Amino acid sequence: MGSGNRTIEVELSTTGMDSQGRPQRIPLVTNDGGSPLDIAAPLSAEPELSGDHMLINIGPQHPATHGVLRLVLELDGETVVRCIPHVGYLHCGFEKIGEYRQYNQIIPWTDREDYLNSIGNNVAFALGAERLFGIDITPRCTVLRVIAAELSRMASHLVWLGTFCIDIGAFTPFLWAFQERENIYNLLESWVGARLTTSATRVGGMAADIPSGWMDGLRQFIRNFPQTLDEIDRMLTRNAIWVGRITGIGVMTAEEAINWGLSGPMLRASGVDYDVRKDFPYLDYETYDFDVPVGTNGDVYDRFLVRMEELRQSVKILTQAAERLPDGPVNIDDPRIILPPKSKATSEMESMIHHFKQVMEGPRPPIGEAYVAVESPKGEKGYYMVSDGTSKPARWRIRPPSFINLAAIPKMVEGHLLSDVIAINASIDIVMGEIDR
Amino acid sequence: MTDKTQIVTTGRALANALTPVTPRNIAHRGGEPNPSAAAIGEHFLGYVVRSEVIWGETTVYVTRASVFEVMQWLHDDPTQQYDFLSDITAVESRDFEQPIEVVWHLRSLPFRRFLRVKVQLEKNAPLEVSSVWSIWKSADWMERECYDMFGIRFKGHPDLRRILMWEQYKEGFPLRKDFPLRGRFSRAEQLRQALAQNPEAKYSMEELSIADAFEDLPSEMRQRLRKGERTGE
C-alpha cells in the first residue's frame, strides 16, 4: 500500500464515561504510521453549546412548507424559542386586478387564490356579487352550489390529509386520499370542463347545468367514499405512532383561538363551535341535517379529528342535496345580468342588444357594499365588495382564512421541537395562493 | 382511547340570539339595523358620525379619535361581546376627493351579530388610526397588510412593517388608486432594482441580532449592515 492511500479504521467498542459524565470519544486509529494521538481531539476542545441560540431558515422552497412560506426560527438546541414567518412570495395583486375587471371576469381570479377549493371560491364570490346586485338565485342553482361547495371542501380536505400524512411520515394514506380526490376532479371535469381552475359560477347562476347522468356519478362517489375514509381512519386515528406524534402540540385554547381570529377547523378543534354554515347560513344550509364536529384540546390531533369528521358530514350533506335537487332553470331570468343563449343572441334583436351590452359594458350593481362570508375548508372566507355604480368594483377584498390562521403560528410553535413545527404548520392547512393573493 | 371529538348541533350562541336563516329578498337600504349601532350612539355621545344599513348589513361611521374606545367597549361589554374580528381593510374611492375609509368587520359569536365599523381619513391629513391589536391579536397581520397596501399607520401596533411586499419596496402602496396597475416604476427600473439587490441579505437586522448570528457574517457584510443597509424580506 502506498503511503498516499490513507485509511482510517474506527474501533468499535463500548464507550466509557469521562470524569464529567460525558461519553468518551473513541480515538481514531490510523495505519499510516502516525500516532493516534495526533488526530484524536482532546475532550476539553468540545465547545459548550448550552445557551447558544441558533438561527435556522426553513423555506421558501421547502416541501414541508406547503408552498413558498418562509419561517425563520430561533432555536435553543432543538427547541423553538421564536418563529418569524415571511409571506408574500406569491403576491400578484388579485385585489388590485379586480378593480379593473367586471364582476364575471373576476371569477377566474377566485380559482387561483385558494386553488384547492376553486369551485368553492367561485360559489363564494358569486354569492357576494349577488348580494351586491340584490339577486336571489333559483332553487336548482342553490342546491347545485351546495354540491359544488361540499365537493370542493372534500377535495381540499383530502389534499390536506394526504400532505399532512407525508409531513408526519405516513405515505400510504396520501395515495388513497389523492385517489378519491381524483374522483372528485373527474366529476368536476364532466360538469364544468375543468379540474382545477373551474370558474363554474356566474353572477345569477352557473356557467353550466350538470350533464345528464352526472348525479349517478355523484351517487357512486358518495357510496364509495366512506370506505376509503374508514380505511384511512383505521390506519391513523388509533395508531400509536400517529397519536404520539401529534397529540399535545400546537395547542390553542378556545379564548386564544377566538382572539387570534382562527376560523374553520382550527377554531373548532379548540372547542368553539363557530361554523358560518350554522351561525350565518347561506345557500339554505340551515335546512340540511349535518353536525359540526368540535374538538376539546385544540392540538394538532384534534384538528385532524375535526377534519376527518367534516369529510363524513360533507358526504351527509351531499346525500341530502342529491335527493332534493329540484328541476327548473339554473340561471335567474334577468337579461341585464345573465347572458342570453348564443342561438338567441344571433337570431333575435333584443337578445343581441343584451348580449352586446353585457359583454361590452358588463352588469352594473347599484351603489353599495357587501361582505359575504362562507365556510371554506380553511375557515371563514369573506368577499367584501364595494360598488360605486360602475360595472367594476371600487374595491374587492378577500378575507383570507389561511392568512389569518397562519398569523398564529409563532404562538403555536414556540416551546416546541423543530420537528413539531412541521406538524403544526401542516395542521393549519395553508394555501399560499390565498395567503399572498 | 376514548372518542375525543364531540358532535354538537346547537350553536354556542346565547338563547336570545337570532335564529340563523339564509337571508332572502334583502332590501338595498333601510333594512333592520343591528341594535349595537344604536347602543354605541347611546353609550358614547358624539362618537358616531352616522350609521346606515346596506344590503342588510349595518355600518357605523365613528370619529377617528374614538376608534379604540368604541372597539374596546364592543369587545368587552356583556351586551355586545364582539369577540371575533373578521377583517380589517381599507377602501379608497375612485373619486380622489373622497376620504379613505378604514373598515373593521366584527362578529359577535354569542349573539350572532355582524357589524361593520368605519372611519373616514381625510387625504390632506396623515393616514393614522389607532391599532386594535391589544384587543384582538388577529389584528396583527391584518393591520400590517392594510399598512402595506394603503399606507395607513396603525398607532400602537407592535411591529408595523410590510408583509406581502418586501421591506425595500419603494414604489409606494399598491392598492391606492393613484398607483398604476403595472406599478409605478418601468419594467426596466424594476428589473434593475431586482438585480441590484444583495441575494445574501436573507435575514433582517432584527433576526440577525436575536441569535448572535450577526457576528458570524463576513466582515464586509457586517460593515454594510452597520452602515444602515436594509435587509430581509
Side-chain angles (χ1 to χ4, degrees):
Chain A
M1 243 184 177
S3 61
N5 292 339
R6 190 177 125 119
T7 57
I8 298 175
E9 287 169 12
V10 179
E11 193 182 325
L12 290 171
S13 65
T14 325
T15 51
M17 293 289 180
D18 65 8
S19 58
Q20 288 170 319
R22 290 183 295 203
Q24 212 161 10
R25 284 276 180 85
I26 305 161
L28 296 170
V29 183
T30 64
N31 66 351
D32 64 347
S35 156
L37 291 173
D38 293 342
I39 298 164
L43 285 169
S44 56
E46 191 166 307
E48 186 58 52
L49 285 172
S50 61
D52 216 9
H53 288 191
M54 186 184 183
L55 196 63
I56 191 172
N57 177 62
I58 304 181
Q61 304 291 342
H62 189 279
T65 55
H66 297 248
V68 281
L69 168 66
R70 175 165 169 246
L71 298 171
V72 175
L73 301 168
E74 182 188 357
L75 296 180
D76 178 8
E78 255 195 289
T79 313
V80 179
V81 180
R82 192 164 160 193
C83 165
I84 304 171
H86 292 266
V87 299
Y89 294 91
L90 278 184
H91 179 66
C92 19
F94 284 11
E95 293 173 8
K96 182 82 178 173
I97 294 165
E99 294 169 8
Y100 293 79
R101 297 281 183 276
Q102 295 168 12
Y103 288 87
N104 278 327
Q105 291 173 337
I106 296 175
I107 287 170
W109 292 96
T110 63
D111 293 336
R112 286 153 177 84
E113 32 138 333
D114 180 358
Y115 43 80
L116 298 179
N117 177 39
S118 45
I119 200 167
N121 295 338
N122 300 156
V123 169
F125 180 82
L127 285 171
E130 281 149 10
R131 175 79 58 87
L132 204 55
F133 278 83
I135 301 172
D136 281 326
I137 51 172
T138 62
R140 183 173 174 87
C141 184
T142 311
V143 179
L144 283 180
R145 284 186 183 180
V146 168
I147 293 173
E150 292 307 315
L151 278 178
S152 149
R153 182 187 320 283
M154 292 170 79
S156 172
H157 276 4
L158 285 169
V159 174
W160 164 80
L161 183 60
T163 51
F164 183 51
C165 291
I166 290 217
D167 284 346
I168 306 293
F171 191 75
T172 315
F174 168 78
L175 299 173
W176 294 345
F178 268 60
Q179 212 161 16
E180 286 300 332
R181 174 178 177 257
E182 195 67 15
N183 293 337
I184 295 176
Y185 276 0
N186 286 340
L187 281 173
L188 290 182
E189 189 184 13
S190 62
W191 180 3
V192 297
R195 297 164 73 81
L196 198 68
T197 52
T198 46
S199 306
T201 58
R202 295 289 180 270
V203 177
M206 303 291 283
D209 200 349
I210 49 171
S212 64
W214 193 85
M215 290 312 272
D216 298 333
L218 179 69
R219 285 198 193 91
Q220 196 192 347
F221 170 74
I222 294 172
R223 249 197 328 277
N224 296 340
F225 178 74
Q227 274 95 298
T228 316
L229 196 61
D230 285 343
E231 253 177 313
I232 298 175
D233 190 55
R234 270 203 301 280
M235 192 161 193
L236 296 176
T237 308
R238 278 156 179 74
N239 181 326
I241 302 169
W242 182 258
V243 174
R245 181 80 176 75
I246 60 176
T247 308
I249 58 171
V251 178
M252 292 290 271
T253 64
E255 288 74 29
E256 284 169 354
I258 295 175
N259 199 253
W260 282 80
L262 302 187
S263 50
M266 292 283 290
L267 180 64
R268 290 193 283 276
S270 297
V272 184
D273 61 347
Y274 168 56
D275 187 319
V276 186
R277 292 174 293 177
K278 287 278 188 197
D279 284 307
F280 298 92
Y282 53 95
L283 292 175
D284 297 338
Y285 265 112
E286 75 272 16
T287 60
Y288 291 85
D289 172 30
F290 69 102
D291 298 324
V292 177
V294 167
T296 46
N297 298 339
D299 59 0
V300 176
Y301 184 62
D302 276 15
R303 286 170 208 150
F304 162 75
L305 291 180
V306 165
R307 290 207 178 91
M308 290 291 275
E309 185 57 35
E310 280 195 14
L311 281 168
R312 287 179 215 285
Q313 298 298 332
S314 285
V315 174
K316 210 165 148 186
I317 297 172
L318 278 177
T319 316
Q320 295 167 51
E323 272 169 21
R324 69 162 76 166
L325 181 68
D327 289 330
V330 177
N331 296 339
I332 58 159
D333 183 23
D334 188 341
R336 289 170 307 162
I337 289 161
I338 289 290
L339 274 180
K342 192 72 183 172
S343 57
K344 276 192 175 177
T346 51
S347 59
E348 289 176 18
M349 192 62 196
E350 280 286 300
S351 299
M352 199 182 92
I353 293 169
H354 288 311
H355 191 281
F356 179 82
K357 287 282 251 186
Q358 267 198 53
V359 173
M360 300 309 288
E361 290 169 12
R364 290 156 188 261
I367 295 173
E369 55 195 324
Y371 175 88
V372 174
V374 302
E375 184 70 25
S376 100
K378 317 292 186 290
E380 176 190 330
K381 161 148 251 163
Y383 285 110
Y384 174 51
M385 280 170 258
V386 181
S387 158
D388 55 1
T390 60
S391 59
K392 293 161 187 170
R395 173 91 171 97
W396 169 47
R397 157 78 177 164
I398 309 164
R399 192 256 184 209
S402 298
F403 180 77
I404 294 156
N405 288 353
L406 183 71
I409 196 175
K411 173 158 179 54
M412 282 189 276
V413 300
E414 272 157 30
H416 288 297
L417 297 180
L418 178 58
S419 55
D420 294 338
V421 173
I422 303 299
I424 293 168
N425 182 37
S427 78
I428 302 176
D429 189 14
I430 53 169
V431 167
M432 293 312 288
E434 183 184 69
I435 290 170
D436 299 340
R437 302 186 300 289
Chain B
M1 251 188 65
T2 52
D3 236 347
K4 289 211 305 176
T5 45
Q6 44 174 318
I7 303 289
V8 291
T9 39
T10 54
R12 182 172 148 276
L14 301 169
N16 57 349
L18 292 169
T19 313
V21 286
T22 304
R24 272 179 213 292
N25 298 320
I26 310 165
H28 182 198
R29 285 186 192 260
E32 181 73 21
N34 184 334
S36 301
I40 300 171
E42 280 164 26
H43 197 263
F44 299 103
L45 287 174
Y47 282 10
V48 176
V49 180
R50 67 171 196 273
S51 69
E52 59 188 12
V53 183
I54 297 184
W55 297 123
E57 294 163 353
T58 310
T59 309
V60 183
Y61 290 80
V62 298
T63 58
R64 173 158 78 167
S66 64
V67 169
F68 188 81
E69 223 177 311
V70 170
M71 296 288 186
Q72 185 82 58
W73 181 75
L74 283 174
H75 179 266
D76 293 345
D77 193 81
T79 60
Q80 306 301 326
Q81 297 189 38
Y82 283 87
D83 47 0
F84 190 83
L85 174 65
S86 267
D87 199 13
I88 299 175
T89 187
V91 178
E92 186 178 1
S93 169
R94 288 200 177 102
D95 180 356
F96 279 100
E97 306 292 309
Q98 293 292 318
I100 292 186
E101 293 174 338
V102 184
V103 188
W104 291 264
H105 288 123
L106 311 178
R107 275 191 203 283
S108 162
L109 302 190
F111 289 107
R112 290 201 183 105
R113 281 184 196 160
F114 174 78
L115 184 67
R116 179 183 299 137
V117 182
K118 275 190 180 184
V119 163
Q120 294 190 323
L121 305 177
E122 293 298 334
K123 283 187 180 169
N124 49 19
L127 297 174
E128 273 187 348
V129 72
S130 314
S131 165
V132 294
W133 176 82
S134 53
I135 307 170
W136 295 281
K137 293 286 175 284
S138 51
D140 185 353
W141 279 25
M142 296 185 210
E143 286 179 354
R144 276 178 68 187
E145 191 193 334
C146 198
Y147 161 70
D148 190 2
M149 294 291 143
F150 287 92
I152 294 160
R153 298 196 165 268
F154 290 88
K155 276 182 294 178
H157 189 282
D159 183 23
L160 194 69
R161 58 192 160 93
R162 287 193 178 269
I163 185 164
L164 295 178
M165 312 308 281
W166 53 103
E167 254 180 50
Q168 306 96 318
Y169 187 69
K170 295 190 193 76
E171 295 185 46
F173 301 105
L175 279 180
R176 295 286 289 272
K177 288 287 190 288
D178 56 357
F179 186 95
L181 184 59
R182 293 200 139 198
R184 225 184 272 286
F185 297 163
S186 66
R187 282 294 150 101
E189 173 63 16
Q190 286 173 350
L191 181 69
R192 196 194 63 73
Q193 289 199 358
L195 291 176
Q197 289 206 353
N198 179 9
E200 280 171 58
K202 291 188 299 246
Y203 298 106
S204 70
M205 207 51 200
E206 185 205 11
E207 285 160 4
L208 289 170
S209 61
I210 53 174
D212 292 334
F214 184 70
E215 297 306 318
D216 298 336
L217 292 174
S219 62
E220 164 262 343
M221 210 170 148
R222 273 195 311 237
Q223 275 168 8
R224 284 209 318 263
L225 288 169
R226 283 208 184 94
K227 272 187 234 149
E229 180 180 303
R230 303 201 68 188
T231 57
E233 262 37 71

